[in-house]
Amino acid sequence: MILPFLFAPVVRLDLERDGADWPNRHASRMLEAGGVCWHVQLMGEGPPLLLLHGAGASAHSYRDLAPLLASRFRVIAPDLPGHGFSTSPGAHTQSLPGMAKALAALLRALGAAPEIVVGHSAGAAVSARLELDKAIAPQLIVALNGAFAPFGGVASHVLPSIAKALFLNPFAPRYFAWSADRAAVARLLAGTGSTLDARGVDLYARLMRNPAHVEGALAMMAHWDLHALNRDLPRLATPLALIVAANDRTVRPQSARNIAARLPTSRVQEIRDLGHLAHEEAPDLHARLIFDLWDAAQRRHCEEPATVTP
């Protein structure tokens, strides 16, 4: 029956109760920073690397990639506010600048200054906002199918309005969660152009069956303003690597090419046969690409002339 579900209290996912078998559970920590109770996974040693997931996901989307990156980096992979096991104290942490500010507080609490940031989809936009707001000064930002640009035309105004209307409706997250059976989630994921294994589908289904997680994703979309980010992008000082998947049906590869045309310090690398969740489909490939990009960034850094202060 749907009626009892619609009127039941919204209970957030709890790491102790719901996360015993969560990917990389041994690396999970819960801590307070910036008004958010964060779930963050920490693993590896080396230069700090910040991993940011996209809207509607969680750090679990790096379940296979994070351990590979941890062979060379100190990986920091949080659930964004309102997503997964992380809380959100209100709308101020769901906007792009607000989310960046909350993440800056988390990094301070961890004593971490990321030298490389890897962001998927909306997580790439958060990465850029962090740098533009001077919260971080990494040597490299890697965008995996980065969602930097607003939807074109009328959709750029209509879609956020729809998300806001759904976010304000207290029954919408409950209804979405109630209707998120495994088959529906599998169809949704396939619509991104990606093919995930059974475990990947099950993890997304667990998230989407939780009304608090759905509410967090809707709040993020409702308060997201990519127009301001697009205006500011030319000020991005950090080299930006744009890895795009040819079969991405969520963020078209042309979007990355448009950004590269505006940013002389950026470059595009296209992968064939994969979709929006390409880093989940081919984690080994993405680890190699990130290692190569980092090595190239290190070589450029060594070749730069030193600044001499008279």
Side-chain angles (χ1 to χ4, degrees):
M1 291 289 291
I2 186 174
L3 283 179
F5 189 86
L6 288 178
F7 288 96
V10 174
V11 178
R12 173 156 297 284
L13 288 167
D14 179 84
L15 189 61
E16 296 303 319
R17 183 187 64 236
D18 306 305
D21 63 341
W22 204 245
N24 302 310
R25 175 66 177 82
H26 66 281
S28 290
R29 305 288 186 275
M30 299 295 299
L31 62 94
E32 295 270 354
V36 176
C37 181
W38 295 91
H39 170 239
V40 58
Q41 294 192 325
L42 306 170
M43 62 185 82
E45 298 291 338
L49 183 153
L50 179 63
L51 270 180
L52 299 177
H53 65 79
S58 76
H60 90 278
S61 69
Y62 294 113
R63 62 191 170 107
D64 296 319
L65 180 56
L68 297 174
L69 296 177
S71 67
R72 291 185 58 182
F73 298 102
R74 179 195 177 200
V75 172
I76 304 163
D79 289 350
L80 293 176
H83 288 66
F85 299 100
S86 290
T87 67
S88 173
H92 65 281
T93 62
Q94 299 301 117
S95 68
L96 185 48
M99 196 165 283
K101 185 177 180 180
L103 276 165
L106 172 64
L107 292 171
R108 287 194 299 271
L110 292 171
E115 295 186 32
I116 174 173
V117 186
V118 178
H120 171 246
S121 194
V126 180
S127 304
R129 189 75 265 167
L130 276 164
E131 195 264 21
L132 289 164
D133 292 348
K134 310 301 182 186
I136 58 173
Q139 295 185 40
L140 176 67
I141 295 175
V142 181
L144 309 179
N145 292 318
F148 294 100
F151 291 98
V154 176
S156 66
H157 302 286
V158 172
L159 292 179
S161 298
I162 293 173
K164 186 165 290 187
L166 292 172
F167 168 66
L168 293 173
N169 181 343
F171 297 113
R174 293 174 172 86
Y175 179 76
F176 279 13
W178 175 80
S179 61
D181 59 39
R182 193 181 186 283
V185 172
R187 288 192 298 271
L188 180 66
L189 295 172
T192 70
S194 286
T195 302
L196 298 190
D197 61 16
R199 172 70 167 157
V201 174
D202 288 341
L203 290 167
Y204 275 103
R206 192 185 309 185
L207 287 175
M208 293 179 189
R209 284 196 295 266
N210 180 259
H213 174 83
V214 174
E215 185 176 63
L218 287 174
M220 185 177 180
M221 289 185 282
H223 296 94
W224 216 239
D225 178 13
L226 291 176
H227 295 280
L229 177 66
N230 247 257
R231 290 193 298 268
D232 292 343
L233 265 183
R235 294 195 290 105
L236 194 73
T238 301
L240 174 64
L242 298 151
I243 298 177
V244 299
N247 197 39
D248 188 348
R249 298 176 194 164
T250 304
V251 180
R252 298 296 181 181
Q254 184 59 43
S255 174
R257 291 190 281 269
N258 293 342
I259 290 167
R262 299 169 58 206
L263 293 176
T265 58
S266 65
R267 55 173 290 192
V268 178
Q269 187 159 354
E270 188 164 326
I271 304 170
R272 294 183 301 171
D273 304 326
L274 299 176
H276 189 60
L277 305 174
H279 62 292
E280 298 191 57
E281 296 178 277
D284 295 285
L285 170 62
H286 282 74
R288 291 196 301 271
L289 290 173
I290 292 167
F291 292 152
D292 289 346
L293 288 165
W294 174 251
D295 290 340
Q298 292 298 100
R299 288 193 295 271
R300 286 194 302 271
H301 182 71
C302 292
E303 292 166 1
E304 290 174 356
T307 301
V308 178
T309 303

